[in-house]
């Protein structure tokens, strides 16, 4: 059985992702602060992703087949979290189409240039910084779902 670590796991995309993998028989761990109701069938790893010392102690016994990072919004989210992870095979970060300038042809494609988008402002540029931080630490990480949202 594959072990998956999902950041968040209680709202929006992360909640449905956790539920999806539980229903398909994966061993699902969620990392969150434990402030909200958890999806049935997940294993809660209660910690703030920015508490590196506690995080390292909490995660050291585990090895994950995949880390699905759905809650990284800026580079500190990556820089505080990834070094404390320990063993994992694959890292997937969910990003956003907010990383593409509003002047790019839509629908956006993965090969389009990334840069500031005047509609999304710092949300988009912070996501770009998170992507860069991740690829610096995990060069073979996969940046997913840049096409989830559209320009308002």
């Amino acid at each position: 059985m594959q072990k998956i670590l999902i950041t968040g796991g209680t709202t929006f995309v992360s909640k449905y992702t956790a539920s999806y993998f539980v229903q398909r028989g994966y061993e699902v761990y969620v990392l969150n602060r434990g402030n909200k109701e958890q999806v049935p069938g997940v294993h809660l790893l209660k910690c703030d992703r920015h508490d590196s010392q506690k995080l390292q102690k909490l995660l050291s016994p585990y090895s994950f087949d995949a880390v699905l990072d759905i809650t990284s919004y800026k580079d500190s989210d990556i820089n505080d979290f990834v070094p404390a992870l320990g063993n994992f095979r694959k890292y997937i970060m969910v990003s956003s189409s907010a990383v593409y300038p509003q002047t790019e042809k839509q629908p956006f494609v993965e090969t389009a240039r990334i840069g500031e988008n005047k509609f999304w402002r710092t949300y988009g540029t912070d996501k770009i910084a998170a992507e860069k931080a991740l690829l610096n630490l995990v060069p073979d990480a996969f940046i997913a779902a840049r096409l989830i949202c559209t320009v308002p």
Side-chain angles (χ1 to χ4, degrees):
M1 180 181 311
Q2 289 197 11
K3 283 186 191 173
I4 297 176
L5 174 63
I6 298 173
T7 60
T10 59
T11 59
F12 195 46
V13 175
S14 64
K15 176 180 181 177
Y16 295 104
T17 302
S19 184
Y20 174 90
F21 283 105
V22 166
Q23 291 171 9
R24 281 154 185 79
Y26 289 79
E27 189 173 348
V28 178
Y29 293 79
V30 294
L31 177 81
N32 62 56
R33 293 176 296 239
N35 299 332
K36 297 181 181 174
E37 184 177 338
Q38 305 299 314
V39 170
V42 302
H43 304 278
L44 172 62
L45 298 173
K46 187 176 177 180
C47 188
D48 186 302
R49 71 181 297 143
H50 297 283
D51 187 343
S52 298
Q53 288 182 334
K54 183 177 178 185
L55 193 58
Q56 195 167 23
K57 279 185 187 176
L58 181 67
L59 295 177
S60 65
Y62 299 98
S63 179
F64 298 102
D65 294 293
V67 175
L68 304 176
D69 190 347
I70 301 173
T71 58
S72 281
Y73 297 101
K74 52 191 175 182
D75 58 354
S76 63
D77 294 338
I78 295 294
N79 291 327
D80 293 346
F81 178 63
V82 173
L85 262 175
N87 294 321
F88 62 92
R89 283 189 23 217
K90 194 71 182 161
Y91 197 108
I92 301 167
M93 176 191 159
V94 175
S95 190
S96 168
S97 66
V99 302
Y100 299 112
Q102 74 282 353
T103 54
E104 285 295 305
K105 182 179 176 191
Q106 293 188 37
F108 300 127
V109 294
E110 292 287 324
T111 56
R113 72 180 177 91
I114 60 175
E116 185 177 359
N117 182 307
K118 73 176 184 178
F119 298 110
W120 291 101
R121 297 189 180 109
T122 59
Y123 175 76
T125 54
D126 285 350
K127 277 286 198 180
I128 292 169
E131 290 180 11
K132 288 179 180 178
L134 176 60
L135 293 173
N136 184 50
L137 295 170
V138 185
D140 66 342
F142 181 73
I143 309 296
R146 279 188 174 169
L147 306 178
I148 276 184
C149 56
T150 57
V151 174

